[in-house]
């Protein structure tokens, strides 16, 4: 799903942004009504694909940044996502991606290695066999998609925070950034507090079976406190970093924190 | 004594009474803008994964695509919440809700519904809401609170787990959010229709008198 841009004939982008700006900062201002009403009327008149003008985008992006900060502020690292009994598992658990299953990465277990980069003491790469030897735990949690649907699944793997400790990661860094094997180079940043959340997991199994290709073989990062697109699959590397490197969906406008 | 009364009447006749104070008007229209932005972007979000066997027509959605709709929804959310909260606090603290919306009695509602359906409902005194209006306005305040609470619980189901519990679980909260939207749309249709039938009520909501 590529980002679409809509230009509306007859709409002056600069006037539009002026109106929107009037609306945002001061609720009590009289002009607010005029600005708001004209924005509302515009919404109706233009068939509501309103304002994908770059300036309105910029305003919305600013509010989204603010929402990142708010979500970070209310994030409680001790709050656990609800867990469920096996009977609650969604069957079949849906395959979901912006490509068909046939186009999903087909990773060879023998060739695959997890690269560890950035602010870590031990930058050695990990084979699958080495990772499988780490202590693993199972959790049954709800996956919530940015589209609104949700599904309950059973995930088994190693807590990411244990692995970060093992490789001597600087846990004061801001992000752990994941790169995936998808041909478009899917990637996504995870804020460090979420990376250290007890339920954030390097997942190797689904329903007690080796993680199938559909769900991200050989490794996905399962983050029950985030929306689905912040749960990277087919992971090939992780980087501990202070830089915000963006992400596949984040760069297209999805809110970066996207916590649940 | 009597001359005093006459003077009073003259004064009130020359300066018509304010029906809708400024704060009500500002918050009403702010809310109208916020609601429309929320509904239209919400329809686009719904279309990404419909709860029922239909989608909303693309022409009546806001944002262009799911990501854009989410940006609009979570921006207008602040407008709706700040304005809504200010409205609730002012309405309760000033006693306006109590004075305007209470009491709501079943017999009163029944009487006024009957009168409305036979076009006998009087609108001479706009300062007093009839029982149909009281029920609708009080009801929509409750729906407004519910849609915000259900919205918060599907936005932050882990952090605000107690809100999710209030509705049962995450999918239920989604349905509650949807049906509150439907109730608000139904209210909007009736509300706008009635405002057009009694234009002086619309004028009062714009200029106050």
């Amino acid at each position: 799903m590529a980002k679409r841009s809509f230009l509306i004939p007859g709409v002056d982008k600069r006037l539009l942004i002026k109106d929107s700006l009037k609306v945002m900062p001061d609720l009590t201002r009289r002009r607010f009504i005029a600005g708001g009403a004209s924005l509302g009327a515009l919404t109706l008149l233009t068939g509501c694909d309103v304002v994908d003008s770059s300036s309105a985008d910029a305003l919305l992006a600013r509010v989204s940044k603010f929402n990142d900060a708010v979500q970070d502020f209310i994030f409680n690292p001790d709050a656990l996502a609800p867990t469920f009994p096996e009977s609650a598992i969604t069957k079949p658990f849906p395959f979901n991606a912006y490509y068909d299953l046939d186009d999903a990465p087909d990773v060879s277990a023998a060739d695959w290695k997890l690269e560890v980069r950035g602010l870590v003491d031990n930058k050695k790469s990990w084979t699958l066999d080495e990772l499988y030897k780490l202590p693993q735990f199972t959790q049954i949690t709800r996956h919530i998609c940015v589209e609104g649907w949700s599904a309950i699944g059973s995930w088994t793997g190693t807590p990411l925070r244990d692995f970060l400790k093992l490789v001597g990661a600087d846990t004061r860094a801001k992000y752990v950034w994941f790169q995936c094997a998808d041909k478009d180079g899917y990637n996504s940043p995870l804020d460090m507090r979420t990376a250290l959340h007890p339920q954030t997991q390097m997942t190797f199994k689904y329903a007690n079976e080796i993680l199938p290709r559909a769900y991200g073989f050989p490794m996905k990062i399962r983050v029950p406190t985030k929306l689905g697109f912040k749960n990277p699959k087919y992971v090939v590397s992780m980087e501990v970093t202070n830089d915000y490197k963006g992400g596949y969906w984040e760069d297209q406008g999805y809110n970066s924190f996207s916590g649940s | 004594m009597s001359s005093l009364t006459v003077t009073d009447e003259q004064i009130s006749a020359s300066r018509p009474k304010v029906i809708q104070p400024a704060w009500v008007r500002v918050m009403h229209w702010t809310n109208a803008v916020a609601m429309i932005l929320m509904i239209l972007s919400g329809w686009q979000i719904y279309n990404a994964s419909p709860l029922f066997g239909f989608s909303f027509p693309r022409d009546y959605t806001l944002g262009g695509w799911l990501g854009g709709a989410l940006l609009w929804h979570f921006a207008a959310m602040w407008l709706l919440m700040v304005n809504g909260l200010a409205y609730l606090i002012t309405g309760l603290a000033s006693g306006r809700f109590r004075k305007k919306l209470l009491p709501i009695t079943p017999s009163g509602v029944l009487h006024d519904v009957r009168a409305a359906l036979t076009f006998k409902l009087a609108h001479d005194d706009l300062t007093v809401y009839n029982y149909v209006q009281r029920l609708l306005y009080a009801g929509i305040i409750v729906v407004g609170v519910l849609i915000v609470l259900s919205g918060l619980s599907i936005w932050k189901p882990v952090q605000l787990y107690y809100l999710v519990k209030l509705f049962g679980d995450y999918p239920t909260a989604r349905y509650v959010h949807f049906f509150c939207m439907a109730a608000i749309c139904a209210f909007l249709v009736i509300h706008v229709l009635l405002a057009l039938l009694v234009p002086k009520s619309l004028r009062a909501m714009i200029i106050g008198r």
Side-chain angles (χ1 to χ4, degrees):
Chain A
M1 186 164 44
K3 178 165 188 185
R4 286 162 272 173
S5 173
F6 293 90
L7 293 172
I8 303 136
V11 173
D12 184 321
K13 286 187 220 163
R14 265 166 305 176
L15 281 179
L16 194 64
I17 191 66
K18 256 184 159 176
D19 275 352
S20 332
L21 280 171
K22 261 185 248 161
V23 176
M24 301 315 286
D26 187 348
L27 297 185
T28 53
R29 237 190 321 197
R30 272 299 177 90
R31 283 147 97 204
F32 169 76
I33 296 174
S38 57
L39 184 67
L42 193 79
T43 304
L44 294 171
L45 288 174
T46 54
C48 317
D49 266 333
V50 173
V51 239
D52 261 14
S53 76
S54 55
S55 38
D57 272 353
L59 175 70
L60 290 173
R62 275 219 300 277
V63 181
S64 188
K65 272 269 158 57
F66 171 70
N67 285 339
D68 274 339
V70 171
Q71 292 181 83
D72 187 54
F73 179 75
I74 65 173
F75 177 77
N76 173 3
D78 298 324
L80 296 181
T83 53
F84 298 85
E86 284 200 21
S87 57
I89 292 173
T90 308
K91 286 174 184 160
F93 189 87
F95 164 77
N96 186 250
Y98 59 91
Y99 41 73
D100 294 330
L101 183 51
D102 287 344
D103 297 326
D106 202 354
V107 176
S108 147
D111 301 340
W112 183 85
K113 274 190 174 181
L114 176 70
E115 203 186 316
V116 180
R117 290 182 285 138
L119 304 168
V120 293
D121 292 336
N122 188 352
K123 292 190 176 69
K124 134 190 167 52
S125 292
W126 291 67
T127 65
L128 203 48
D129 282 341
E130 288 170 326
L131 288 171
Y132 281 166
K133 288 187 187 121
L134 298 172
Q136 295 191 23
F137 306 93
T138 298
Q139 62 194 23
I140 301 175
T141 50
R142 185 187 295 279
H143 168 111
I144 295 175
C145 183
V146 67
E147 292 174 346
W149 58 266
S150 67
I152 295 170
S154 167
W155 313 95
T156 302
T158 302
L160 179 60
R161 66 173 179 185
D162 292 353
F163 184 77
L164 289 174
K165 214 172 288 169
L166 194 63
V167 299
D170 179 1
T171 51
R172 290 162 309 172
K174 284 186 185 151
Y175 304 99
V176 183
W177 189 69
F178 296 97
Q179 182 66 57
C180 303
D182 306 54
K183 59 177 185 287
D184 297 329
Y186 195 101
N187 48 44
S188 188
L190 197 60
D191 54 284
M192 184 57 80
R193 289 203 302 157
T194 303
L196 297 175
H197 186 273
Q199 288 173 311
T200 301
Q201 185 190 68
M202 296 163 77
T203 301
F204 304 114
K205 285 181 177 174
Y206 180 79
N208 296 319
E209 309 264 328
I210 292 294
L211 194 67
R213 183 180 167 207
Y215 306 151
F217 180 83
M219 184 177 94
K220 99 175 233 144
I221 304 296
R222 173 73 192 123
V223 194
T225 54
K226 292 280 194 213
L227 295 179
F229 79 93
K230 301 285 294 186
N231 290 235
K233 300 177 284 191
Y234 320 101
V235 174
V236 293
S237 75
M238 66 170 78
E239 178 176 347
V240 177
T241 174
N242 279 311
D243 301 330
Y244 179 76
K245 289 166 176 282
Y248 181 84
W249 284 119
E250 290 84 347
D251 293 348
Q252 297 181 53
Y254 282 133
N255 177 267
S256 185
F257 197 89
S258 285
S260 63
Chain B
M1 237 357 228
S2 58
S3 69
L4 247 177
T5 314
V6 169
T7 322
D8 274 354
E9 273 168 10
Q10 274 168 351
I11 288 170
S12 64
S14 61
R15 274 195 309 164
K17 212 165 157 187
V18 172
I19 297 165
Q20 307 290 5
W23 69 268
V24 169
R25 283 178 280 141
V26 169
M27 288 180 188
H28 171 269
W29 292 111
T30 305
N31 186 53
V33 172
M35 278 284 184
I36 287 168
L37 293 178
M38 290 304 272
I39 289 170
L40 297 181
S41 57
W43 286 358
Q44 176 105 42
I45 297 167
Y46 167 96
N47 284 353
S49 177
L51 288 169
F52 302 100
F54 71 93
S55 295
F56 292 97
R58 260 198 70 83
D59 284 352
Y60 299 100
T61 61
L62 174 62
W65 71 301
L66 175 62
L70 288 165
L71 289 177
W72 276 102
H73 210 66
F74 292 130
M77 161 185 90
W78 293 110
L79 195 59
L80 184 81
M81 286 209 321
V82 170
N83 185 61
L85 217 58
Y87 177 70
L88 282 184
I89 292 169
T90 322
L92 288 170
S94 67
R96 182 178 164 90
F97 287 170
R98 187 171 35 80
K99 273 181 274 178
K100 290 275 185 182
L101 303 179
L102 295 179
I104 301 173
T105 60
S107 60
V109 171
L110 221 70
H111 173 269
D112 282 357
V113 166
R114 210 171 291 144
L117 291 177
T118 51
F119 297 100
K120 283 176 193 152
L121 198 56
H123 291 283
D124 301 334
D125 185 359
L126 287 179
T127 58
V128 179
Y129 289 151
N130 63 56
Y131 282 92
V132 177
Q133 283 177 302
R134 288 182 199 185
L135 185 69
L136 279 177
Y137 297 157
I140 208 65
I141 290 173
V142 174
V143 172
V145 170
L146 269 181
I147 203 166
V148 168
L149 292 183
S150 58
L152 285 174
S153 47
I154 54 184
W155 183 45
K156 290 277 155 281
V158 174
Q159 302 304 328
L160 307 176
Y161 60 93
Y162 43 90
L163 276 183
V164 182
K165 269 192 200 150
L166 191 72
F167 295 106
D169 59 6
Y170 173 85
T172 320
R174 253 185 108 203
Y175 280 100
V176 171
H177 200 59
F178 178 89
F179 286 117
C180 287
M181 177 279 296
I184 288 169
C185 290
F187 171 84
L188 266 177
V189 171
I190 298 170
H191 186 60
V192 170
L193 206 70
L194 290 179
L196 294 177
L197 285 173
V198 189
K200 63 181 174 180
S201 67
L202 182 60
R203 190 194 61 195
M205 194 47 92
I206 296 169
I207 62 167
R209 293 158 205 274

